[in-house]
Amino acid sequence: MNPVSSPSSRGLQYDLPNESDDEDFEREVDEQGLIEGDFTLRAVAVGLGVGVILCMTNIYFGLQTGWVSMMSLQSALLGFALFKLLPHLKTLFPNSRPLTPQENVVLQTTAVATGTMPLAAGLVGIIPALEMLTVKEDGREPIKLNYGQLVAWCLAVAFFGVFLAAPLRRQVIVKEKLVFPSGTATAQLISLLHKIPPPSQNPKSSSSGTYRRLPRTSRSVSPPGYAVEEDETNGQRQAAEKDSEVMKGSGWWALGWSFFASGSLTVLSFLFPVIFAIPIFDVFSLPFGTSLAANWLWWFTPSLSYVGQGIIMGFPVTLSMNAGMLVGWAILSPLSKHFGWAPGPIGSTTNGARGWILWVALAIMIAESIISLLPITISSISTFVRHYKQRSSGPRIFQPTSSPRSNVTEDDYYDPLDENDDEDPENEPPERLVPMSWIKIGLVSSAILGVGLVWAVFGKDGIHPWATALGLVLASMLSLIGVRALGETDLNPVSGIGKISQLLFAVLQPGNVVANIIAGGVAEAGAQQAGDLMQDLKTGHLLRASPRSQFYGQMIGSLASVFVATAGYKFYTSVYEIPGPQFAVPSAGIWLNLARLLNNGELPERVIPFMISFGVLFGTISSIKAFKHYLPTSVISKSEKWIKYLPSGIAFAIGFLNSPSFSIARLIGGYIAYRTSRNSSNGETPLIAIVIASGFVLGEGVLSIVTLSMASSGIKAISCFGCNIAGGGYCSGGC
């Protein structure tokens, strides 16, 4: 996902959250200024509730377009809104104090762990791909797992990434202070919601006096330990003031109305399917006796959720996506059909134009994924070599710290590579960290559990136990690269990691399409989960939430999502045809086609020159972006203006995978983000736009559960008017 432009909230005087009227109310603060008791029943319970919503939303969007988001911003916003708008929540739990920022961190951590299982377990990719196997092309029947088998598979991949993330925290967050843009943005949003000073990248400066209660007459003054910076620009101040005003009232109305509008349109489109498949482009083709909608999949879907996604993605990403859509669906698709390279129906992923252009998209994604991994790989290797030389050059000398507690313990993650004065030591006491003994036991146990369950589910005709174990080892190594890339760019190259695993297993288990898909899924699951949870740990680090509390939330959320995600996937597949007109499952096509290519070596007619051409083009573009920092400063300053206009290869390829309707709606949202950011005093997307976008996304995601229930109950569309124009069959929902 593209990093969300986060609201700037620096340079303001902050009120403390409205606390209880009881003058004796005091937060539990220890001598270091750390909030205790952030792992609470209410935070976990509401986090699970929000996570269930996000999980079902991600299944819906993932099966539709392959788009899945960790939604950490939405989790924090929705969790806070529930406590704000539903006061009786406070009385349902023994602890009736207002929700603290640290509890909100645990809440959104639990929600993210629950909501991202559809991608981690491959429910929107590898599981549908296994169901699309054919005897003719793959030599075996489709693999359709029942509920128990699917639960076992999810359990196999649910925890390994959690144990991978915990030991990396100290190195990439505490010592190297990688940005993790989404995690930082979430921390800024939480600070704004709870009316506390914005988090500092250097927690050492705020390690004392945090959140102590001020006298009632002094609550308009910043709490001790935080100095309000006086040198901020007027634009930043104005933006912060607007953001503060938004979250006092208008923001909640905007969230509610955007949620209602998106949800209402979703239900309405179920009753009148043509609303989500408007054949508006037929005006260009009817004089020629054809229909762009019926014959070429060109219709318009006025989905507010995709408009919201476009706002969150930003204009550059949506522009790249629509450029890919035009090249794929307006040029290459007609070309492949006209010359007979793709003789089947346009929407077919096997012998149709959709399947033909999918190969070109695959070449683009592989080229960009591999190139984008090179700089971070080179950097990681050089850093490791440098630290190895430092360690071997002589004994290490530990510098004393001013903390009353030692940073270095026998049960800590691992000792820092060096202890220079300008590096932050661990700022958390040992009792708030996850002990290394837990990590070792967890990694070994989750690996054994994973290997055993995968063998039990797929048997000897699937993947050998040693191959699954090797996939987990590969996930461990590649997740280090993925986490660093995520910390620096906000992009986790999990698609490249999965494809690298597929390439390796084409050699280790040749001719076995099932093993190839599963091995890629295992490697991708560990890397994706470790990356997403690292964003949460960054949020907790900035807001001084306990890493151990977040670890508990991650484990609970992952366990709950095993059953929630499985039930949701089974619910959707029992009601809708997958793949089908409404749920094309583009990610499954990518997984299956690459596995077939690596094991059978067959490609559609004349697609190879286009794959090579586009692969080289976007490999070159990715190289320019990835290695621009190695150029002389004078060259960088001159080239920066035009480099930023180069398209994103992954976004460009997604334009190929999804039918035009989804890309066009996202472009509308991207343009809204562009216009609002230009009118903003600080040049960033205003918070109110992000709030509205969140409402749009959540509205359709939540109400899709309602329409799913209606469809499963036998309720059909009220009217199919407009769905059969020019012989169309592009409407769904019972028509």
Side-chain angles (χ1 to χ4, degrees):
M1 285 297 297
N2 189 53
V4 177
S5 298
S6 57
S8 174
S9 54
R10 303 178 66 185
L12 278 180
Q13 301 283 353
Y14 284 83
D15 294 331
L16 284 177
N18 292 327
E19 297 170 350
S20 169
D21 289 336
D22 185 1
E23 290 293 339
D24 295 328
F25 174 85
E26 292 290 343
R27 295 182 180 175
E28 299 173 12
V29 185
D30 69 5
E31 64 270 21
Q32 287 187 311
L34 301 174
I35 297 288
E36 300 297 339
D38 48 9
F39 183 75
T40 60
L41 175 60
R42 63 180 185 174
V44 173
V46 176
L48 287 173
V50 173
V52 169
I53 295 174
L54 300 185
C55 183
M56 298 298 291
T57 299
N58 276 333
I59 292 175
Y60 173 78
F61 290 123
L63 292 175
Q64 210 167 56
T65 66
W67 183 87
V68 172
S69 171
M70 64 181 292
M71 291 195 181
S72 54
L73 280 166
Q74 287 81 358
S75 300
L77 184 65
L78 191 57
F80 184 85
L82 287 173
F83 276 95
K84 185 179 181 69
L85 302 177
L86 302 175
H88 64 274
L89 277 176
K90 300 176 184 178
T91 63
L92 295 179
F93 303 98
N95 184 1
S96 60
R97 67 183 182 182
L99 185 73
T100 67
Q102 290 70 32
E103 284 182 293
N104 202 341
V105 170
V106 174
L107 186 156
Q108 68 92 24
T109 299
T110 306
V112 167
T114 309
T116 53
M117 184 59 69
L119 181 59
L123 299 180
V124 297
I126 69 169
I127 297 302
L130 293 173
E131 295 179 358
M132 293 163 60
L133 296 171
T134 63
V135 176
K136 180 180 179 180
E137 295 190 63
D138 308 300
R140 64 170 303 153
E141 296 286 341
I143 298 177
K144 296 187 177 182
L145 304 180
N146 58 37
Y147 181 82
Q149 292 172 321
L150 202 53
V151 166
W153 160 252
C154 290
L155 281 171
V157 297
F159 304 110
F160 191 73
V162 178
F163 289 105
L164 277 179
L168 296 177
R169 172 190 167 274
R170 179 168 185 171
Q171 182 62 33
V172 299
I173 293 179
V174 179
K175 290 181 63 61
E176 299 182 32
K177 295 183 282 291
L178 297 186
V179 178
F180 289 97
S182 289
T184 300
T186 304
Q188 291 175 328
L189 177 64
I190 291 176
S191 69
L192 191 64
L193 292 171
H194 292 267
K195 301 179 184 178
I196 61 174
S200 168
Q201 278 281 40
N202 183 1
K204 187 187 296 184
S205 65
S206 59
S207 61
S208 62
T210 309
Y211 306 125
R212 280 192 167 87
R213 179 182 173 89
L214 295 178
R216 188 175 296 275
T217 57
S218 303
R219 289 190 186 175
S220 61
V221 184
S222 298
Y226 288 94
V228 178
E229 300 185 22
E230 298 296 339
D231 58 348
E232 296 292 336
T233 64
N234 290 332
Q236 289 175 319
R237 288 180 180 274
Q238 292 172 5
E241 290 170 358
K242 288 181 180 179
D243 290 345
S244 181
E245 288 298 322
V246 162
M247 301 322 299
K248 285 183 179 179
S250 61
W252 303 118
W253 282 103
L255 180 66
W257 280 110
S258 59
F259 182 96
F260 176 78
S262 180
S264 299
L265 187 60
T266 302
V267 175
L268 199 62
S269 67
F270 175 84
L271 301 176
F272 303 93
V274 75
I275 292 177
F276 263 22
I278 301 175
I280 189 173
F281 299 104
D282 281 354
V283 297
F284 301 107
S285 60
L286 286 178
F288 302 98
T290 185
S291 168
L292 284 177
N295 299 325
W296 297 96
L297 306 185
W298 274 84
W299 59 80
F300 176 57
T301 299
S303 167
L304 292 179
S305 67
Y306 288 102
V307 173
Q309 290 176 19
I311 294 173
I312 295 172
M313 290 177 176
F315 192 51
V317 173
T318 57
L319 205 57
S320 296
M321 192 179 296
N322 277 265
M325 177 266 292
L326 288 172
V327 172
W329 291 91
I331 298 177
L332 296 184
S333 173
L335 199 66
S336 64
K337 183 70 174 179
H338 176 73
F339 287 103
W341 304 335
I346 297 296
S348 173
T349 57
T350 53
N351 62 349
R354 184 171 205 155
W356 195 91
I357 64 174
L358 186 147
W359 287 104
V360 182
L362 181 60
I364 295 172
M365 295 175 74
I366 291 176
E368 174 150 307
S369 297
I370 292 176
I371 295 298
S372 64
L373 285 172
L374 289 179
I376 198 69
T377 303
I378 295 171
S379 175
S380 298
I381 293 174
S382 61
T383 301
F384 175 80
V385 171
R386 184 176 70 254
H387 286 149
Y388 177 79
K389 290 180 178 179
Q390 290 176 352
R391 283 187 167 190
S392 59
S393 62
R396 297 170 59 196
I397 300 176
F398 292 97
Q399 301 292 337
T401 65
S402 58
S403 172
R405 305 179 187 180
S406 174
N407 298 311
V408 184
T409 67
E410 295 180 356
D411 205 22
D412 205 353
Y413 300 142
Y414 47 79
D415 291 338
L417 296 174
D418 49 32
E419 286 286 339
N420 297 328
D421 290 339
D422 60 345
E423 292 189 75
D424 282 342
E426 176 60 71
N427 64 303
E428 293 287 352
E431 62 269 18
R432 285 165 58 93
L433 297 173
V434 183
M436 190 61 190
S437 57
W438 295 12
I439 301 300
K440 292 177 180 178
I441 295 173
L443 283 173
V444 173
S445 300
S446 59
I448 294 174
L449 179 69
V451 171
L453 288 176
V454 170
W455 176 255
V457 172
F458 295 102
K460 61 181 181 180
D461 294 330
I463 182 171
H464 297 305
W466 63 264
T468 304
L470 184 59
L472 292 172
V473 173
L474 192 64
S476 302
M477 296 187 297
L478 294 179
S479 66
L480 299 176
I481 299 173
V483 164
R484 291 184 63 86
L486 187 67
E488 294 180 5
T489 67
D490 210 36
L491 296 174
N492 194 347
V494 290
S495 59
I497 289 173
K499 290 169 181 59
I500 290 172
S501 182
Q502 284 188 278
L503 291 170
L504 175 63
F505 277 86
V507 178
L508 297 177
Q509 278 196 264
N512 192 330
V513 174
V514 176
N516 191 278
I517 294 174
I518 296 172
V522 168
E524 185 184 70
Q528 180 265 330
Q529 200 172 29
D532 283 351
L533 300 184
M534 195 61 67
Q535 294 273 25
D536 296 333
L537 290 173
K538 178 67 175 185
T539 303
H541 177 71
L542 292 174
L543 293 175
R544 308 303 303 277
S546 165
R548 188 177 296 192
S549 295
Q550 288 188 269
F551 174 78
Y552 293 151
Q554 291 167 353
M555 292 293 290
I556 293 172
S558 296
L559 178 61
S561 191
V562 166
F563 303 97
V564 174
T566 299
Y569 177 77
K570 281 298 183 181
F571 201 5
Y572 273 100
T573 54
S574 67
V575 175
Y576 294 103
E577 177 188 357
I578 296 178
Q582 187 166 356
F583 297 99
V585 203
S587 296
I590 288 288
W591 280 101
L592 182 57
N593 281 6
L594 180 57
R596 285 172 172 170
L597 172 64
L598 295 173
N599 288 279
N600 302 322
E602 295 182 3
L603 285 170
E605 185 181 356
R606 299 294 180 88
V607 77
I608 294 178
F610 290 91
M611 291 178 66
I612 294 175
S613 300
F614 279 90
V616 170
L617 173 62
F618 281 94
T620 303
I621 291 174
S622 181
S623 298
I624 294 173
K625 292 180 178 180
F627 294 100
K628 67 178 181 180
H629 298 295
Y630 293 91
L631 300 173
T633 306
S634 58
V635 177
I636 294 177
S637 60
K638 294 179 180 178
S639 61
E640 195 72 38
K641 294 181 180 179
W642 60 267
I643 288 180
K644 65 181 181 180
Y645 292 107
L646 294 176
S648 161
I650 298 296
F652 192 89
I654 291 176
F656 281 54
L657 301 182
N658 296 323
S659 58
S661 57
F662 300 114
S663 298
I664 294 171
R666 284 168 171 164
L667 181 63
I668 294 173
Y671 183 72
I672 292 173
Y674 168 73
R675 293 300 304 177
T676 55
S677 64
R678 288 197 63 181
N679 295 330
S680 175
S681 56
N682 64 347
E684 297 179 348
T685 305
L687 177 61
I688 187 66
I690 299 298
V691 170
I692 292 173
S694 300
F696 283 162
V697 173
L698 293 171
E700 182 169 337
V702 172
L703 269 296
S704 67
I705 303 173
V706 175
T707 60
L708 177 65
S709 302
M710 293 167 64
S712 65
S713 301
I715 301 176
K716 297 184 179 295
I718 293 177
S719 172
C720 293
F721 173 78
C723 285
N724 296 316
I725 294 177
Y730 39 84
C731 288
S732 58
C735 289

